[in-house]
Amino acid sequence: MSDLNAFPISARWPAQHPERIQLYSLPTPNGVKVSIMLEETGLAYEPHLVRFDTNDQLSPEFLSLNPNNKIPAIIDPHGPDGEPLALFESGAILIWLGDKSGQFLARDGRERYETIQWLMFQMGGIGPMFGQLGFFHKFAGKEYEDKRPRDRYVAESRRLLGVLEKRLEGRAWLMGDHYTIADIATFPWVRNLVGFYEAGDLVGFKDFPNVQRVLDAFVARPAVKRGLEIPARA
Ligand SMILES: N[C@@H](CCC(=O)N[C@@H](CS)C(=O)NCC(=O)O)C(=O)O
């Protein structure tokens, strides 16, 4: 059995099942990427709730796993060399879980790199831009009198939705017939934009019927429904 006690994070979030993948997260758009992936693959895991209202992400125990103080993060007791593997950054975690499970990421060839390309498009574009739009439209930034920052992120979010719309024309998923980690990374953010952020009208979401169609297919998946609620908020 792996010794997770060597990881300081175990002091604050003890593992009941140290042989399982340990997930430290909260059901935000970045957090649910990993819980959805774990639910989709069927890999055994143990979720731990990281609360922002008590600044858990700033605790020394959490920072020992992710010095960037952001969820999600994991410890896999059985990494590529059989030793425990600690990882943060949702994109890196999805690639590892895809390789470990042999699901939702091709092992090699063109399809692998194109899937990673669309994953990076989410990580570098959709996540940061939609996130900023949320700040300026829904959270503290909405009080700012100067609307130029908000408008910049509205325009950029709309442009990114247009890229997705074109890619999804005639395709069931971002990689065609294959549902992949690129979809698992992207659609929690699209859902959040029109749902929690209430920015659907602002970005003209009705102009993106293919994105709406794939979002509907995504949220209808049983593993997605489960993953969206994990870890349960206390
Ligand atoms: N690029 C990171 C972003 C993670 C991220 O932004 N997480 C947010 C929640 S969605 C967070 O933990 N925020 C807490 C903080 O910044 O203190 C990833 O994809 O894992």
Side-chain angles (χ1 to χ4, degrees), residues 25-29 32 49-52 196 228-234:
S25 190
L26 184 72
T28 69
V32 299
L49 183 69
V50 178
R51 300 176 60 134
F52 290 169
F196 186 53
L228 286 170
E229 306 296 333
I230 298 171
R233 289 176 193 270

Side-chain angles (χ1 to χ4, degrees), residues 168-187:
L168 293 169
E169 180 74 49
R171 288 186 173 88
W173 302 104
L174 281 165
M175 288 303 296
D177 291 340
H178 295 162
Y179 172 73
T180 66
I181 58 172
D183 302 296
I184 293 173
T186 300
F187 287 97

Side-chain angles (χ1 to χ4, degrees), residues 28-31 33 52 57 69-72 89-91 123 189:
T28 69
N30 287 318
K33 292 176 198 172
F52 290 169
Q57 78 279 20
N69 62 266
K70 291 187 190 294
I71 62 93
E89 282 296 330
S90 58
M123 295 295 296
W189 271 103

Side-chain angles (χ1 to χ4, degrees), residues 89-101:
E89 282 296 330
S90 58
I93 297 171
L94 289 176
I95 292 171
W96 162 242
L97 296 177
D99 282 346
K100 181 179 177 107
S101 67

Side-chain angles (χ1 to χ4, degrees), residues 128-166:
M129 295 303 129
F130 288 13
Q132 292 298 326
L133 177 52
F135 175 81
F136 285 105
H137 175 59
K138 171 121 186 179
F139 303 112
K142 86 171 177 217
E143 308 302 336
Y144 297 2
E145 238 172 70
D146 185 346
K147 295 300 170 205
R148 282 174 298 182
R150 185 203 66 179
D151 291 348
R152 171 181 162 79
Y153 292 113
V154 170
E156 183 61 1
S157 299
R158 199 176 146 76
R159 191 188 67 75
L160 291 166
L161 285 167
V163 175
L164 280 183
E165 176 69 13
K166 203 162 171 202

Side-chain angles (χ1 to χ4, degrees), residues 156-227:
E156 183 61 1
S157 299
R158 199 176 146 76
R159 191 188 67 75
L160 291 166
L161 285 167
V163 175
L164 280 183
E165 176 69 13
K166 203 162 171 202
R167 173 68 186 178
L168 293 169
E169 180 74 49
R171 288 186 173 88
W173 302 104
L174 281 165
M175 288 303 296
D177 291 340
H178 295 162
Y179 172 73
T180 66
I181 58 172
D183 302 296
I184 293 173
T186 300
F187 287 97
W189 271 103
V190 176
R191 172 179 176 271
N192 200 62
L193 181 76
V194 296
F196 186 53
Y197 287 175
E198 303 175 275
D201 288 345
L202 200 60
V203 298
F205 194 65
K206 61 174 178 1
D207 297 335
F208 307 104
N210 288 308
V211 181
Q212 176 76 70
R213 166 180 55 80
V214 181
L215 173 62
D216 291 345
F218 180 73
V219 296
R221 295 177 70 91
V224 171
K225 289 189 179 136
R226 293 194 302 274

